[in-house]
Amino acid sequence: MAAFKHITVGVCSPSPRLIVPSSVSPPLSRTPPRKLSRVSTITCSSSKWAERLLGDFQFFAPAATDPSSELQQQNSFSSSSTTATLPPPPLPRPPPLAPPERYVSIPLDFYKVLGAETHFLGDGIRRAYEARVSKPPAHGFSQEALISRRQILQAACETLANFNSRREYNHGLIDDEEDTVLTQVPWDNVPGALCVLQEAGETELVLELGETLLKERLAKGFKQDVVLVMALAYVEMSRNAMAFDPPDFIGGCDMLEKALKLLQEEGASSLAPDLQAQIDETLEEITPRYVLELLALPLDDEFRTKREEGLQGLRNILWAVGGGGASPLSGGFTREDFMKEAFLHMTSSEQVDLFVATPPNIPPQNFEVHGVALALVAQAFMGKKPQHIPYADNLFEQLQQTNNANSLKNNREIEFSLGRALCSLLLGELDDCHAWLGLDQVDSRYRNPAVVEFVLENSNPDDEDYLLGLCKLLETWLTDVVFPKFRDTKDVEFRLGDYYDDPTVLTYLESREGAGRSPLAAAAAIVRIGAEALQKVFPLGSQDSDEFQEKIDNNNNGTVVAESVGEKLKDASVKVLCAGVAIGLLTLVGLKGMPPRGRSFGQGEIDQATASSDVTAEVDNVTEALSRQHASLAEGIVRKWQNVKAHAFGPDHCLGKLTEVLDGRMLKLWTDRAAEIAKLGWVYDCTLLDLTINSVTMSSDEQHAVVEATINESITLTDAVHPTSGPNTTTYATRYEISLSDSGWRITEGALLM
């Protein structure tokens, strides 16, 4: 309403001729309205319709003084000039003026007050009035408030039911609606005015006025009326929120909580007890839906407080007293249905935290345990926290035991065994993975023919470990089963190599080295799949080399089972790299992103003869023809890189020198790696033992070159877990792309070779 901003609460001084009535006004009359005087400090303007309302509130003028009596009084003191005169007696003191009445500026639209439309005839206006009067508020208003309410309704009815006054009122609405509806309501009649406004749906206006009034010291009855009408306004706003499609449970619940809090804190324990009970009952009914809506809010910082409120509400519901937290839920939910829907709106860490914090007297159900096991796997993979995997495996084991104890069907046991198998794979334990899948035993109770067939179809026939098929199985399980269950991983894109080549993961796997096969070796093999298997599937130098390069780039240089090359990977030969030291794997990871042999540089200026089908033979021929100058240049650059790398990963963690030898993607990759190592507090003592430059392919403009080299280095790791790990020696073949810039030669790309 436009007049909303003009609402004022103040004291207005009516004309001295007006006498303020008692706090309870007599019934409305048709006495002509009397205008109020203006006060310079407070605006109390009112239209004639507002004045009409004031007239109906019965303001009476005092009896007038007869002027002739004053003249007679003066004459009675007159005497002849010959007679001594007495001084006139003092004039009587005038009676004291009544204190100024207080008014509140409130916009009262007569049509809205009655719930009538502008096209209603006189009979329709009267019926609207009777409908309002016949249904007074049912919740504990004072008698004074109810009388004031009725008077306002009656004044509105009489104005609109009369043809002439209604015509003038309508003209006023057209000419100046704000001035027409703005009314100076006497202080004692304010609660009644708030009542009619609340019934007319002016909830925001009621709350605005009510909050202003509650800042003052109010009489008890007056204050309770204001509190009650504000509470009803909140209830009405809640009802409107719940009428949306879909219902706004957050808005509805918030409004009801405000209403209840207002009644309990600003009112009294005995104020509208029936209304308080109804609010309590409604809150209990909609709270489960309210909690679900809070959990479904975005994960942004803006909604963090609200989501935390939802998580606390979830705990309150699930841990309710009675039956170990198994008491029936409101809103038509079973406990299991409510938990499953809540889990869809939670992150993996939130589910784990809830599970850990649950009191021991509330036993978890199987679906809870299974969900938390998957959540731990998601956290382990995405957060590079392999220490979570054993806990997930323990939960899958509990599910297996429960399954056997309850004599359930074997399909659940196979499902739990699949979880344990892939947990083993995430820890690099291939033997355990095979056992839980029944790959090596046809009569294994854990063998699922469909799973076994899937692994075999996606594996290299010559690979007894079925590593490629297991990687495909793991990726499919993460994509279809694990990640969709949690808000933070639902649409995530990932590569298996991001997990297996992470320094934290590798250090943890190294700590699990034992009598069995090396977890590090398995991790290295999985990392190697992306870097090597794809190169064997797509021979370099063929007419499809450009298409293959695009596929490699689109799949972030070596995702294990990218769909675009998935079918060709089935026939790929996989060579397992047995590496036993973390820094060696770090080096391999940093280099595995290199493009395949034969990629053009400087707009295709490298000799295309090197892109023949027999890449190795051609490279050897080119190597023999290279000048010693190029070989010496390449060796100097590679040695410089090894020296800078030693400083970056050494005790000083000197990252600044990386720019002296690296550029482009190579610089970013190794800067990030070195910064991560420094943050973890690890120190690598890297010593170059031997370097052999195998080949140098220079572009025709001598601005770019491809260098292939074999490196032998010694690595010693020092950290909190392994004070002295090593020294370990590793040998690997690499390929570097180098480019000449204004500041000299820089390595821009790197890749691991066969």
Side-chain angles (χ1 to χ4, degrees):
M1 183 179 292
F4 188 92
K5 61 183 178 182
H6 299 290
I7 299 170
T8 61
V9 179
V11 178
C12 296
S13 299
S15 168
R17 299 182 58 198
L18 297 181
I19 299 179
V20 181
S22 60
S23 61
V24 181
S25 304
L28 291 168
S29 68
R30 288 183 175 274
T31 57
R34 294 164 175 80
K35 293 186 177 181
L36 303 176
S37 64
R38 300 179 184 270
V39 177
S40 60
T41 58
I42 301 178
T43 301
C44 292
S45 63
S46 61
S47 67
K48 56 186 173 183
W49 304 110
E51 293 166 1
R52 165 62 186 272
L53 189 57
L54 289 174
D56 287 330
F57 277 131
Q58 296 289 342
F59 291 89
F60 299 100
T65 304
D66 188 354
S68 63
S69 63
E70 295 182 2
L71 179 61
Q72 292 175 1
Q73 185 179 31
Q74 295 176 7
N75 292 337
S76 65
F77 294 107
S78 302
S79 62
S80 64
S81 60
T82 60
T83 307
T85 60
L86 297 174
L91 294 175
R93 179 177 299 176
L97 294 176
E101 176 64 285
R102 186 176 182 183
Y103 301 90
V104 178
S105 298
I106 300 177
L108 293 173
D109 185 320
F110 287 173
Y111 284 104
K112 291 182 179 180
V113 162
L114 293 175
E117 301 291 341
T118 55
H119 63 270
F120 281 11
L121 299 178
D123 289 344
I125 295 294
R126 282 185 284 271
R127 284 194 295 271
Y129 164 75
E130 292 169 358
R132 281 277 199 263
V133 172
S134 63
K135 296 180 180 179
H139 300 288
F141 283 101
S142 67
Q143 192 65 23
E144 291 84 352
L146 295 177
I147 291 175
S148 298
R149 169 185 174 272
R150 186 182 183 95
Q151 289 173 339
I152 296 173
L153 294 174
Q154 184 176 347
C157 177
E158 291 179 356
T159 299
L160 299 182
N162 181 278
F163 177 78
N164 293 327
S165 60
R166 180 177 182 178
R167 181 177 59 187
E168 294 182 21
Y169 183 78
N170 289 342
H171 281 297
L173 291 177
I174 295 173
D175 296 339
D176 191 346
E177 179 180 359
E178 179 180 323
D179 186 65
T180 300
V181 301
L182 193 61
T183 305
Q184 307 303 322
V185 179
W187 179 259
D188 292 337
N189 300 103
V190 168
L194 295 180
C195 281
V196 297
L197 285 175
Q198 186 273 321
E199 293 173 320
E202 299 288 348
T203 53
E204 293 184 2
L205 178 57
V206 169
L207 295 175
E208 176 91 5
L209 284 165
E211 290 172 358
T212 303
L213 292 169
L214 289 180
K215 295 177 182 178
E216 304 188 26
R217 295 178 63 87
L218 304 175
K220 180 179 179 181
F222 190 105
K223 181 178 181 180
Q224 289 190 349
D225 286 335
V226 173
V227 168
L228 185 53
V229 74
M230 290 178 67
L232 290 174
Y234 280 128
V235 171
E236 181 65 23
M237 294 176 74
S238 172
R239 186 179 296 112
N240 294 338
M242 298 297 293
F244 292 149
D245 186 18
D248 179 8
F249 288 100
I250 293 179
C253 201
D254 286 345
M255 292 301 103
L256 288 180
E257 288 179 346
K258 288 182 178 180
L260 188 60
K261 181 179 179 181
L262 186 67
L263 289 171
Q264 294 174 345
E265 295 184 0
E266 297 289 349
S269 59
S270 59
L271 179 59
D274 292 343
L275 178 60
Q276 294 191 39
Q278 291 176 17
I279 294 174
D280 266 330
E281 182 179 347
T282 305
L283 282 173
E284 183 179 354
E285 182 68 20
I286 69 174
T287 291
R289 291 289 182 187
Y290 170 68
V291 168
L292 292 177
E293 266 197 18
L294 289 176
L295 295 176
L297 291 173
L299 300 178
D300 304 337
D301 290 342
E302 178 184 355
F303 302 98
R304 177 178 300 174
T305 301
K306 278 292 187 182
R307 293 197 74 255
E308 288 176 352
E309 181 183 343
L311 291 171
Q312 184 58 51
L314 176 66
R315 289 178 170 86
N316 294 340
I317 292 174
L318 297 180
W319 301 347
V321 178
S327 57
L329 300 182
S330 302
F333 284 106
T334 64
R335 188 174 186 274
E336 180 174 348
D337 290 341
F338 177 68
M339 288 191 69
K340 287 182 177 179
E341 188 163 348
F343 285 170
L344 294 176
H345 305 303
M346 296 169 65
T347 65
S348 56
S349 61
E350 288 170 348
Q351 291 198 27
V352 173
D353 292 344
L354 176 66
F355 182 80
V356 172
T358 301
N361 65 313
I362 304 177
Q365 296 177 261
N366 282 349
F367 74 89
E368 295 178 63
V369 177
H370 187 242
V372 173
L374 297 179
L376 287 169
V377 171
Q379 280 190 293
F381 189 90
M382 298 305 301
K384 312 301 184 293
K385 299 177 180 178
Q387 63 270 23
H388 290 341
I389 297 297
Y391 294 105
D393 183 68
N394 288 339
L395 293 179
F396 282 122
E397 183 180 10
Q398 292 179 26
L399 291 170
Q400 282 182 321
Q401 294 171 352
T402 304
N403 180 84
N404 296 335
N406 296 335
S407 300
L408 299 178
K409 294 182 179 179
N410 289 334
N411 62 342
R412 295 294 293 175
E413 182 178 25
I414 291 177
E415 178 183 356
F416 303 147
S417 300
L418 174 63
R420 299 199 68 181
L422 296 179
C423 282
S424 299
L425 184 59
L426 287 169
L427 294 176
E429 298 171 351
L430 293 180
D431 292 338
D432 289 343
C433 179
H434 282 216
W436 288 120
L437 292 176
L439 288 178
D440 303 325
Q441 296 180 355
V442 179
D443 58 346
S444 172
R445 59 186 294 185
Y446 308 122
R447 187 181 179 92
N448 184 332
V451 172
V452 173
E453 181 180 0
F454 180 91
V455 172
L456 295 179
E457 285 183 354
N458 288 278
S459 296
N460 181 350
D462 298 331
D463 182 10
E464 296 181 355
D465 288 329
Y466 311 113
L467 194 55
L468 191 60
L470 291 176
C471 288
K472 179 65 175 177
L473 179 64
L474 175 59
E475 186 186 58
T476 303
W477 185 64
L478 292 173
T479 302
D480 297 343
V481 177
V482 179
F483 291 158
K485 289 185 174 295
F486 312 106
R487 289 278 300 277
D488 54 331
T489 59
K490 182 173 296 185
D491 300 316
V492 70
E493 296 181 359
F494 67 94
R495 296 183 310 141
L496 293 184
D498 291 339
Y499 171 84
Y500 284 105
D501 64 13
D502 183 82
T504 304
V505 174
L506 294 172
T507 300
Y508 182 81
L509 296 185
E510 184 181 11
S511 69
R512 295 178 63 88
E513 294 279 352
R517 289 199 288 180
S518 169
L520 276 176
I526 293 174
V527 171
R528 191 65 182 272
I529 288 177
E532 298 176 352
L534 295 179
Q535 296 181 21
K536 290 185 65 96
V537 174
F538 301 93
L540 300 173
S542 69
Q543 61 181 1
D544 297 329
S545 62
D546 292 338
E547 178 184 357
F548 170 58
Q549 178 60 49
E550 181 180 357
K551 290 181 179 180
I552 291 291
D553 292 338
N554 291 340
N555 289 277
N556 203 6
N557 298 319
T559 181
V560 176
V561 281
E563 292 184 1
S564 59
V565 295
E567 291 301 320
K568 295 183 179 181
L569 281 176
K570 294 179 181 179
D571 301 324
S573 298
V574 180
K575 183 177 181 180
V576 178
L577 172 66
C578 297
V581 293
I583 189 63
L585 286 171
L586 262 176
T587 305
L588 302 183
V589 172
L591 300 177
K592 75 184 183 66
M594 278 290 294
R597 188 189 317 239
R599 175 178 174 181
S600 62
F601 296 91
Q603 302 180 357
E605 294 174 336
I606 293 181
D607 188 359
Q608 295 299 317
T610 60
S612 64
S613 58
D614 190 352
V615 175
T616 303
E618 292 296 333
V619 169
D620 290 341
N621 294 333
V622 172
T623 301
E624 294 175 1
L626 289 174
S627 67
R628 294 182 179 180
Q629 180 182 1
H630 290 167
S632 177
L633 170 67
E635 182 175 353
I637 294 173
V638 175
R639 286 188 180 277
K640 183 177 181 180
W641 159 229
Q642 293 296 318
N643 182 57
V644 169
K645 181 181 71 174
H647 283 85
F649 288 89
D652 296 334
H653 297 290
C654 184
L655 277 62
K657 291 188 176 183
L658 290 173
T659 58
E660 297 179 3
V661 68
L662 302 180
D663 200 359
R665 188 167 61 176
M666 190 76 166
L667 175 61
K668 183 180 185 307
L669 174 65
W670 283 92
T671 299
D672 293 344
R673 291 287 181 182
E676 183 177 10
I677 294 300
K679 185 177 180 180
L680 293 171
W682 296 353
V683 174
Y684 288 102
D685 182 8
C686 306
T687 303
L688 179 63
L689 301 179
D690 189 24
L691 170 63
T692 301
I693 301 299
N694 300 323
S695 67
V696 179
T697 304
M698 186 70 70
S699 64
S700 60
D701 62 357
E702 297 191 348
Q703 299 295 306
H704 309 280
V706 176
V707 178
E708 296 185 359
T710 300
I711 296 174
N712 183 3
E713 63 181 338
S714 173
I715 308 297
T716 301
L717 168 63
T718 302
D719 67 357
V721 179
H722 305 88
T724 54
S725 178
N728 294 281
T729 301
T730 182
T731 301
Y732 53 92
T734 67
R735 180 175 66 243
Y736 298 117
E737 291 181 16
I738 60 176
S739 298
L740 181 61
S741 63
D742 294 339
S743 55
W745 287 92
R746 298 289 186 272
I747 300 176
T748 59
E749 297 283 357
L752 170 70
L753 297 181
M754 298 293 290

